[in-house]
Amino acid sequence: MEYAIILGIGIVAMITLKIAFRVKLQDVKKIKQIGEDKGLNDITNAFPENRVVCEKILEQLGNQNVKIKESEDSSSKLTYYSVVTNDIVIANIKDTFTRIQTIAHECLHSVQNRKMLLFNFVFSNLYLLYFGLIVILTLCRIIKNPILAIIIFIVLGFIYYAVRSYLEIDAMTKAPYVAKEYMEKSNKISKDKIQIIMKQYEVINQIGIPMMNFYIFMSVFIKVIIYIGIAMMFK
């Protein structure tokens, strides 16, 4: 009965968030189509290679202590900032106009509160470790009260969601304006073309920010469902 109540609350919350964030499958396709727009890509091809763009944006933000690396995996599309090593790894994103905003996003992570970034890193790993631990202990029938483990896991999940979403929303909200400042200072394209790019960045963020929030919540809820399923089978 307790499991059904927890699942019911989670499903209601998921549906509510999906409606509130207006998350639709076609929005994912729309972002992909915008990102692959050849006309927009031709405009941003006027800007230098990604490493140079990253260096300039970091200089713009007053943070030149970050190491910049380019991914050796040509198929990788993941660009990220690592707070532990203090470096930005840039994926193969040369042929997309969103690369300026993507790089600005990661540069913004590098100037966020370091204590919060470190907390997010450590807590995220502890959160996953706790999940793995309670799964193993439940499979071995060592945990006698799965409900308590579920409640603790849900609390940890909400903390994970709150911190992660705050950091991402902050970077996603500011990234277009940092990208715009970089483009204006570079004098590589006209103001009219910058406005064209900015309008598309706005469209991407209008879809991307709610979607990001929803998927972070989903990642938490799915783990809860998995554990409840295991707890029901091995109780």
Side-chain angles (χ1 to χ4, degrees):
M1 182 64 181
E2 296 93 339
Y3 299 136
I5 292 172
I6 293 171
L7 281 174
I9 292 172
I11 291 170
V12 170
M14 183 182 68
I15 294 171
T16 302
L17 287 174
K18 190 175 187 298
I19 295 171
F21 292 146
R22 299 178 183 178
V23 177
K24 301 175 183 176
L25 181 60
Q26 55 264 40
D27 287 341
V28 179
K29 296 178 181 178
K30 185 175 182 180
I31 288 179
K32 186 178 180 181
Q33 288 173 349
I34 294 173
E36 294 175 350
D37 188 294
K38 189 177 184 302
L40 296 172
N41 294 341
D42 287 343
I43 293 174
T44 52
N45 281 341
F47 295 102
E49 62 181 29
N50 295 327
R51 176 180 286 273
V52 176
V53 173
C54 192
E55 288 172 351
K56 291 296 183 182
I57 292 178
L58 286 170
E59 182 182 338
Q60 178 181 313
L61 294 171
N63 184 21
Q64 295 171 270
N65 297 320
V66 181
K67 297 183 289 292
I68 303 169
K69 300 178 182 179
E70 292 187 270
S71 177
E72 296 179 359
D73 183 0
S74 60
S75 63
S76 174
K77 298 296 180 183
L78 180 62
T79 297
Y80 63 91
Y81 169 71
S82 171
V83 65
V84 176
T85 56
N86 193 33
D87 58 29
I88 292 174
V89 178
I90 305 174
N92 180 26
I93 52 173
K94 174 63 179 174
D95 298 322
T96 172
F97 86 102
T98 57
R99 69 188 180 100
I100 310 298
Q101 178 173 248
T102 299
I103 293 171
H105 178 107
E106 299 310 324
C107 289
L108 281 162
H109 277 315
S110 76
V111 296
Q112 287 176 325
N113 186 288
R114 185 168 176 79
K115 289 181 180 179
M116 182 169 284
L117 289 169
L118 285 170
F119 174 82
N120 179 62
F121 174 79
V122 173
F123 188 85
S124 297
N125 283 283
L126 289 175
Y127 169 66
L128 293 174
L129 181 63
Y130 178 79
F131 175 63
L133 183 62
I134 60 174
V135 166
I136 292 170
L137 293 178
T138 302
L139 289 173
C140 296
R141 301 182 189 277
I142 295 173
I143 290 181
K144 303 299 182 183
N145 186 6
I147 292 297
L148 178 60
I150 292 170
I151 292 171
I152 294 172
F153 188 53
I154 290 173
V155 171
L156 295 177
F158 275 115
I159 295 172
Y160 165 78
Y161 169 81
V163 175
R164 177 78 186 279
S165 63
Y166 169 79
L167 292 170
E168 291 301 329
I169 290 172
D170 179 64
M172 290 178 77
T173 303
K174 294 176 181 175
Y177 303 101
V178 171
K180 181 182 180 183
E181 184 179 346
Y182 163 75
M183 290 187 286
E184 289 174 341
K185 287 182 176 179
S186 67
N187 292 317
K188 297 289 184 181
I189 60 176
S190 67
K191 289 185 178 181
D192 288 341
K193 289 183 177 179
I194 291 175
Q195 286 303 314
I196 292 172
I197 296 296
M198 288 300 297
K199 284 181 181 178
Q200 296 308 311
Y201 284 168
E202 184 179 340
V203 171
I204 290 172
N205 268 11
Q206 284 176 346
I207 298 171
I209 292 176
M211 189 176 294
M212 177 275 301
N213 269 286
F214 179 72
Y215 282 116
I216 293 176
F217 177 82
M218 278 294 295
S219 72
V220 172
F221 184 57
I222 287 171
K223 291 183 184 68
V224 173
I225 292 176
I226 291 171
Y227 180 67
I228 287 176
I230 292 170
M232 291 175 69
M233 288 188 291
F234 290 87
K235 63 180 180 179

